[in-house]
Amino acid sequence: MASLLLLALCSLSVCAVPHVEEMRSQERLFLSSLGLSARPRPAGSRQARRHVPSALWRMFRRSENIQAQDSDPCTVAEYGVRGNIIRYVQDQGRLVSGWSSSCQACLEKQLFFNMSVLQPVELLSLAQLEVKFHWKPLRPAELLQGPQAISVSLYKVIRATLRGANPQANRRLLLSQSVQLQPEPTSITMDLTSLAESWRKPGRNYGLVMELLPLGADPKELVSFYPGNSLPTLTLPLVQASLVAVSLNPHQCRSRQRRSAVHLPVTPSNVCKARRLYIDFKDVGWQDWIIAPQGYMANYCHGECPFPLSESLNGTNHAILQTLVHSLDPHGTPQPCCVPIRLSPISMLYYDNNDNVVLRHYQDMVVDECGCR
Ligand SMILES: *[C@@H]1O[C@H](CO)[C@@H](O)[C@H](O)[C@H]1NC(C)=O
Ligand SMILES: *[C@@H]1O[C@H](CO)[C@@H](O)[C@H](O)[C@H]1NC(C)=O
């Protein structure tokens, strides 16, 4: 994250204006520390984008308010598991229109979650499937008919099915349950951690298949269950699925201790100390993929490390000797540098390259203290 700070420092003309190529390589460095191969280019306008699930917003707000020194940076309290990255992996499966090949009266929906978005170093601690059913009856009569229910069966697909073969042979039932259709969205959740772990191996992810079957309907009416039918007896619910994946990048698990650095003194002085710096993500052109925060107080270190080095400058023994030598031979030996010696993390909510919404804690984003090194 020092790279982001450098980017910002340079824009303050503290150092020379960097070459475009250097800026790019700094950006690449920062993005790769976020686990991104390239800068995400989310499709469509901000409005058309996938909305941020409210549960993620809540977690983000909570992590922003965390002052607690004892809070573990690598536990997600909401799910009670180890982790520092929470992704809402989008379903990319198709709705198979028309009859299912395996069940004459069913409607079939494929579910596919691309688990390659996780970096190999990440340990998956939880994958929870969330399927939401939004039901908007087309005709008021449907509401009056009393409770409507569908039966939902979820299968994992264990291998690809060749054309003409029986797809049932390549499926294993995971869940079968009935869902009441109400005007308010209903949802089912299911733990799929070990299955999702197996999906991380290349070529091993055949996804899931969900079959929907209206319950209690008479067989003649089932004909009208077909979605293309102009006068459906039962309006189909809209199915929205996501996989909440909590994972741990063990290299980003240092303590989350945070000293409030927001109230840095503004006294003018040219001695080494942390200075206030607000980084607005708009200024670095990242506002289209970083959802929150819009910016943050990053601060930076600047100032002299003069002889004799006082204790408040947090110098190392080496720095103390270097200032001594510098005072004797100012041209031959430079002063020690004023650098960050304590940094703290922030949480970020962003879209990755697959348009998934990700919440992640980042180390070393805020300068809390400086020292002469
Ligand atoms: C899954 O995501 C990876 C990494 O973003 C990408 O390279 C790959 O093409 C995606 N696969 C599918 C099937 O979308
Ligand atoms: C050196 O560290 C102390 C506490 O460890 C801190 O109060 C002080 O601000 C630091 N000095 C600088 C220059 O940041």
Side-chain angles (χ1 to χ4, degrees):
M1 261 49 50
S3 46
L4 179 61
L5 298 175
L6 186 63
L7 214 70
L9 276 179
C10 292
S11 71
L12 279 184
S13 71
V14 169
C15 60
V17 175
H19 193 264
V20 180
E21 206 29 62
E22 279 167 33
M23 294 266 289
R24 289 229 178 89
S25 86
Q26 289 292 313
E27 188 182 56
R28 267 198 301 278
L29 248 162
F30 178 72
L31 292 173
S32 78
S33 78
L34 301 202
L36 298 168
S37 55
R39 191 180 134 177
R41 311 262 172 203
S45 65
R46 220 163 221 284
Q47 290 74 25
R49 217 112 16 93
R50 218 161 91 85
H51 86 286
V52 179
S54 52
L56 263 193
W57 269 124
R58 271 199 306 278
M59 285 184 248
F60 175 71
R61 296 262 137 77
R62 211 183 61 89
S63 66
E64 259 197 330
N65 293 331
I66 279 182
Q67 310 280 349
Q69 276 69 27
D70 47 18
S71 98
D72 177 357
C74 287
T75 299
V76 180
E78 284 76 2
Y79 294 101
V81 293
R82 302 273 294 150
N84 48 14
I85 307 166
I86 305 161
R87 290 184 175 82
Y88 266 66
V89 184
Q90 264 199 106
D91 166 36
Q92 297 174 346
R94 296 178 301 129
L95 183 73
V96 182
S97 61
W99 306 113
S100 148
S101 46
S102 56
C103 153
Q104 279 304 291
C106 294
L107 186 87
E108 213 177 79
K109 163 93 180 75
Q110 294 178 339
L111 303 179
F112 181 84
F113 302 99
N114 188 347
M115 294 302 285
S116 314
V117 295
L118 273 76
Q119 291 174 286
V121 63
E122 291 174 35
L123 309 168
L124 181 69
S125 18
L126 176 82
Q128 183 176 286
L129 176 71
E130 263 181 32
V131 186
K132 270 211 175 91
F133 300 91
H134 301 268
W135 188 55
K136 285 242 163 51
L138 288 177
R139 293 166 306 133
E142 279 187 81
L143 272 176
L144 299 174
Q145 274 164 13
Q148 305 273 5
I150 52 171
S151 143
V152 177
S153 304
L154 189 70
Y155 301 86
K156 69 171 169 181
V157 181
I158 53 172
R159 63 181 91 86
T161 304
L162 297 179
R163 201 173 281 277
N166 175 14
Q168 290 291 35
N170 298 329
R171 294 177 183 177
R172 297 288 175 271
L173 185 68
L174 295 176
L175 168 107
S176 175
Q177 127 177 22
S178 71
V179 171
Q180 294 284 338
L181 295 181
Q182 301 153 354
E184 305 82 46
T186 36
S187 62
I188 52 180
T189 59
M190 186 181 187
D191 187 336
L192 289 182
T193 310
S194 56
L195 182 58
E197 180 62 48
S198 73
W199 287 343
R200 296 179 68 181
K201 296 187 197 84
R204 296 291 291 277
N205 185 355
Y206 297 108
L208 304 166
V209 168
M210 197 166 60
E211 284 179 352
L212 307 180
L213 174 72
L215 282 177
D218 97 44
K220 283 202 295 301
E221 285 185 347
L222 284 183
V223 175
S224 49
F225 191 58
Y226 182 77
N229 197 302
S230 56
L231 267 182
T233 308
L234 180 66
T235 310
L236 276 174
L238 186 77
V239 179
Q240 211 180 37
S242 54
L243 193 73
V244 184
V246 180
S247 60
L248 178 75
N249 182 331
H251 302 320
Q252 297 177 339
C253 255
R254 272 180 290 123
S255 140
R256 194 191 207 154
Q257 279 186 13
R258 174 181 295 185
R259 229 183 42 131
S260 177
V262 184
H263 307 294
L264 291 175
V266 281
T267 46
S269 148
N270 55 0
V271 174
C272 172
K273 67 170 184 209
R275 321 271 165 160
R276 293 161 70 100
L277 168 67
Y278 182 79
I279 293 186
D280 188 333
F281 288 127
K282 251 197 245 112
D283 294 345
V284 279
W286 290 357
Q287 74 279 13
D288 56 344
W289 62 275
I290 296 181
I291 305 165
Q294 286 167 352
Y296 76 105
M297 197 58 86
N299 306 325
Y300 67 100
C301 294
H302 183 61
E304 308 256 330
C305 292
F307 174 79
L309 210 53
S310 71
E311 215 167 291
S312 69
L313 292 178
N314 300 312
T316 52
N317 284 339
H318 178 269
I320 291 169
L321 285 170
Q322 191 175 336
T323 45
L324 182 63
V325 176
H326 170 77
S327 70
L328 299 172
D329 174 18
H331 298 294
T333 309
Q335 265 189 354
C337 294
C338 176
V339 294
I341 58 167
R342 184 151 130 168
L343 296 135
S344 57
I346 65 164
S347 295
M348 275 171 61
L349 202 52
Y350 62 90
Y351 294 104
D352 71 6
N353 290 306
N354 282 21
D355 265 358
N356 302 316
V357 182
V358 184
L359 171 64
R360 207 168 162 160
H361 305 299
Y362 283 103
Q363 304 284 339
D364 301 345
M365 293 289 280
V366 179
V367 173
D368 286 339
E369 280 172 23
C370 305
C372 293
R373 293 293 144 100

